[in-house]
Amino acid sequence: MLTVRFAPSPTGYLHVGGARTALFNWLLAQKHGGKFILRIEDTDRERSKEEYTRQILEDIKWLGLVPFEGPFFQTQRLERYREVAFDLLNKGLAYRCFCSPEKLEEERKRAYKAGKAFKYPGYCANLSEEEIKKRIENGEKFAIRIRMPKNEDLSFEDKVRGKINFSSSEFDDFVILKSDGMPTYNFAVVIDDHDMKVNLVVRGEDHITNTAKQIAIYKILGWEIPEFAHIPLILGPDKKRLSKRHGARAVGEWRREGILPEAMMNFLALLGWSWDDKQQIFTQEELVEKFSLERVSKNPAVFDVDKLIWINSEHLKKKADEEKAELVIPFLVEAGLVESEESIDRAWLIEVIKIVGDRLKKLTDIVAYADFLFKEDEDIIYTSEDAKKAIKGDGVVEVVEEINKVLKELDKWDRTEIEKVIRDKASEHNLGASKPIRAIRYAISAKFVTPGLFESMELLGKIRTINRINKFLEFVKANK
RNA sequence: GCUCCCGUCGUCUAGGGGUCUAGGACACCGGCCUUUCAAGCCGGCAGCACGGGUUCAAAUCCCGUCGGGAGCGCCA
């Protein structure tokens, strides 16, 4: 059975790179009826935080990457890592290292300055039994280093890149167990993947070198080596590794921006994978059915916000108005436009969704397009500059005044009737209808961009519409 | 510096010796529609990093150059 895993470290939020790795793994497991394991690599005591673990889990669930097994925590498996490390020690395949990290750090810096890579020279590789005993009794701390064999072939067949060559001679005797008793990443991963029967490791290409090191450990332990697939990195617009500088990078931030989980999934899938030369929009089911490592690209992909938003708008277009209405509610509450989720008139909200239509590219857009329908009349604030723009043209104010009068007498308050009034009055005055339309649009919304005016007025209701036109007319007079 | 990976429109990509005058999508620019903005429809701009081979034929295979990226921790 195919067993894959996603193994984030809880030292930050789930960003798009991590999310994409998780997605690819999940997709593979779904497609082949395999197992998808979630493992939290929390051996960095200083940087790991429970809050991050919580957030990562939340974001993974939001993306729809369920079911998964776990989460398993490495800090709950410390005994196991120690057991394997000491076993290696007893067999002479690893050794205690008493070198102080400070000293090594200094040597590393010096080597780097001289333009050379620092490799641990093996100071402690051949310490005598007595000396080891003495130093332990002295209370000296030690780490455990693996004995890296010479000229061992560590090449592997990558499922997306093909053969990748490494020799063990490129590596030094790296630490597998830190002096605080914690395993290092490359060591813990091997033991976990082996114990959890992971047989395919899919991760970012920044791990290629780690893979070689891990293969070294597999070989030393005599364990079966899983298959590997290294997927391309996700870059920022400057072609540098995605970082905080590139704006919202945590998946949760996109959720708060009003991106749908299925759109996020779709977008992430297309970062480094494609189906053919046509299809861009995929449902979750289609992705599960069509995804394969064979079609994963080798090139790093630049994160393109515009495309994310476009994909989101396409998924939004497919949704029923009822569903969109529900989805938008939290954002209305967040913006302070409605008191609570319960206080909203659903039927009316659906009408709002209808008139906003395809303008909605992100859920947050509802605020920009429809806030004026939720606001109180007194919260519609004009500026003299915009007001001037709104009434530009000869006789516009007069026409609006007349329209307002007729509107007051209107019995049937619907978009068709309203439109008729406005168009008739405009042509009576030999004025293009767009003039009063623009003025009234501004009057009821204090904006120049809104959904269709007549529908907006209908939904706003007669009283509020007329109130606002009055208020606007007064404002114009006062600002002459 | 060393090791490894990668180079097709601005971006994501299709293509893997002839069907490529290189296709699609996003973005951008026009036009139509129109009540603003979207949407929709029509049209446009724009790319095989470079240089050598191999071959009747190269975006595709080989070599080199250049460019980009990653790794080189008692971080993961």
Side-chain angles (χ1 to χ4, degrees):
Chain A
M1 181 173 68
L2 177 73
T3 303
V4 294
R5 44 59 160 196
F6 176 55
S9 65
T11 53
Y13 297 109
L14 181 68
H15 53 91
V16 292
R20 204 258 327 240
T21 301
L23 173 65
F24 281 17
N25 277 288
W26 180 84
L27 249 17
L28 254 11
Q30 290 297 302
K31 179 173 179 168
H32 297 108
K35 209 193 271 183
F36 175 54
I37 294 173
L38 199 58
R39 185 171 73 221
I40 306 296
E41 313 217 316
D42 54 350
T43 53
D44 184 340
R45 282 180 163 152
E46 291 181 4
R47 295 193 300 153
S48 294
K49 283 190 187 148
E50 263 181 54
E51 165 64 9
Y52 291 135
T53 300
R54 209 182 54 72
Q55 284 285 349
I56 289 169
L57 282 169
E58 190 182 319
D59 287 341
I60 282 186
K61 284 181 187 158
W62 173 76
L63 264 176
L65 305 187
V66 283
F68 53 78
E69 263 187 41
F72 301 107
F73 293 84
Q74 289 190 322
T75 46
Q76 289 178 359
R77 292 175 40 78
L78 299 178
E79 274 315 306
R80 172 66 174 145
Y81 308 129
R82 261 169 242 178
E83 176 196 322
V84 179
F86 278 93
D87 182 47
L88 249 22
L89 197 62
N90 292 334
K91 288 178 177 154
L93 297 168
Y95 58 87
R96 291 184 179 82
C97 172
F98 295 92
C99 300
S100 83
E102 293 75 25
K103 175 187 157 199
L104 294 179
E105 183 55 31
E106 201 172 298
E107 288 190 27
R108 179 172 298 114
K109 273 183 191 155
R110 210 178 307 142
Y112 188 78
K113 260 184 202 158
K116 288 192 176 144
F118 175 75
K119 277 185 171 178
Y120 180 68
Y123 298 128
C124 301
N126 298 302
L127 262 32
S128 68
E129 284 300 323
E130 300 114 75
E131 181 167 6
I132 291 170
K133 209 175 154 198
K134 207 171 78 191
R135 294 177 80 160
I136 294 175
E137 278 164 6
N138 274 349
E140 280 189 53
K141 295 226 168 205
F142 63 86
I144 296 178
R145 290 182 183 271
I146 192 99
R147 266 185 222 281
M148 187 60 60
K150 292 280 169 254
N151 299 315
E152 169 101 23
D153 180 32
L154 302 178
S155 303
F156 59 97
E157 191 68 27
D158 190 288
K159 300 274 274 182
V160 345
R161 277 152 219 278
K163 183 123 195 251
I164 296 180
N165 296 306
F166 278 103
S167 161
S168 64
S169 305
E170 292 163 29
F171 304 116
D172 64 356
D173 296 344
F174 60 85
V175 171
I176 56 173
L177 203 73
K178 308 181 212 172
S179 54
D180 67 357
M182 286 287 185
T184 57
Y185 167 74
N186 282 314
F187 188 58
V189 163
V190 168
I191 296 169
D192 286 341
D193 285 340
H194 173 263
D195 288 357
M196 295 173 188
K197 302 192 165 40
V198 171
N199 46 27
L200 172 63
V201 174
V202 180
R203 71 214 325 185
E205 70 170 336
D206 49 335
H207 283 287
I208 290 179
T209 319
N210 286 328
T211 295
K213 287 186 180 180
Q214 289 169 24
I215 286 174
I217 297 177
Y218 277 107
K219 289 196 164 178
I220 289 166
L221 286 166
W223 287 349
E224 196 179 330
I225 301 169
E227 293 199 278
F228 294 96
H230 292 93
I231 60 183
L233 259 21
I234 300 177
L235 274 25
D238 56 358
K239 302 245 188 180
K240 289 269 193 308
R241 220 184 150 156
L242 209 56
S243 76
K244 283 183 189 124
R245 287 198 320 282
H246 304 112
R249 66 176 210 139
V251 167
E253 286 177 55
W254 293 108
R255 183 180 66 219
R256 289 187 286 280
E257 280 257 335
I259 298 295
L260 299 169
E262 57 266 47
M264 194 74 210
M265 184 184 276
N266 189 160
F267 173 72
L268 255 18
L270 255 20
L271 242 30
W273 173 85
S274 65
W275 171 244
D276 58 15
D277 61 346
K278 273 194 151 82
Q279 192 174 359
Q280 306 286 321
I281 303 300
F282 298 84
T283 62
Q284 180 177 300
E285 292 70 33
E286 286 175 305
L287 288 176
V288 168
E289 183 202 323
K290 294 181 166 168
F291 185 80
S292 70
L293 289 174
E294 286 73 57
R295 295 202 60 84
V296 170
S297 148
K298 294 184 181 120
N299 309 340
V302 173
F303 181 94
D304 182 5
V305 179
D306 288 329
K307 185 139 182 183
L308 204 211
I309 291 171
W310 174 73
I311 288 175
N312 199 55
S313 73
E314 291 298 311
H315 282 270
L316 230 24
K317 276 184 203 168
K318 292 196 293 187
K319 289 200 179 294
D321 295 326
E322 290 71 18
E323 192 183 352
K324 281 200 258 184
E326 291 303 320
L327 286 169
V328 125
I329 290 172
F331 293 91
L332 292 171
V333 174
E334 173 70 26
L337 293 172
V338 295
E339 289 282 318
S340 68
E341 305 211 354
E342 295 72 39
S343 65
I344 300 174
D345 177 346
R346 305 285 151 131
W348 182 75
L349 181 59
I350 289 168
E351 292 306 311
V352 172
I353 288 294
K354 277 186 179 147
I355 72 167
V356 173
D358 289 342
R359 274 168 269 247
L360 204 65
K361 294 186 167 187
K362 298 177 292 188
L363 295 172
T364 41
D365 290 342
I366 192 68
V367 176
Y369 282 113
D371 60 344
F372 69 98
L373 295 171
F374 296 88
K375 285 181 176 173
E376 297 299 329
D377 296 343
E378 58 264 32
D379 293 327
I380 301 296
I381 311 291
Y382 310 115
T383 68
S384 54
E385 198 186 330
D386 283 347
K388 247 175 229 153
K389 235 161 69 184
I391 58 168
K392 205 169 163 219
D394 288 336
V396 173
V397 177
E398 290 70 23
V399 178
V400 172
E401 276 170 344
E402 279 190 42
I403 289 170
N404 201 25
K405 269 183 210 151
V406 182
L407 249 23
K408 277 176 197 163
E409 306 305 320
L410 207 58
D411 292 326
K412 197 173 164 219
W413 187 260
D414 72 21
R415 58 198 72 180
T416 319
E417 294 297 314
I418 295 166
E419 175 166 10
K420 193 165 181 304
V421 170
I422 294 175
R423 291 203 186 278
D424 286 353
K425 276 294 160 198
S427 64
E428 254 177 52
H429 289 256
N430 281 324
L431 212 61
S434 64
K435 295 276 171 61
I437 284 172
R438 184 182 39 179
I440 297 171
R441 167 174 283 122
Y442 185 73
I444 66 165
S445 68
K447 286 168 186 283
F448 291 106
V449 176
T450 70
L453 180 68
F454 317 124
E455 303 92 293
S456 297
M457 291 166 78
E458 180 189 315
L459 288 193
L460 231 203
K462 185 173 179 179
I463 297 170
R464 290 201 286 169
T465 301
I466 289 169
N467 269 352
R468 290 182 191 186
I469 296 175
N470 283 335
K471 182 182 160 183
F472 176 66
L473 259 11
E474 278 164 34
F475 181 88
V476 168
K477 243 174 246 168
N479 284 275
K480 264 228 164 109

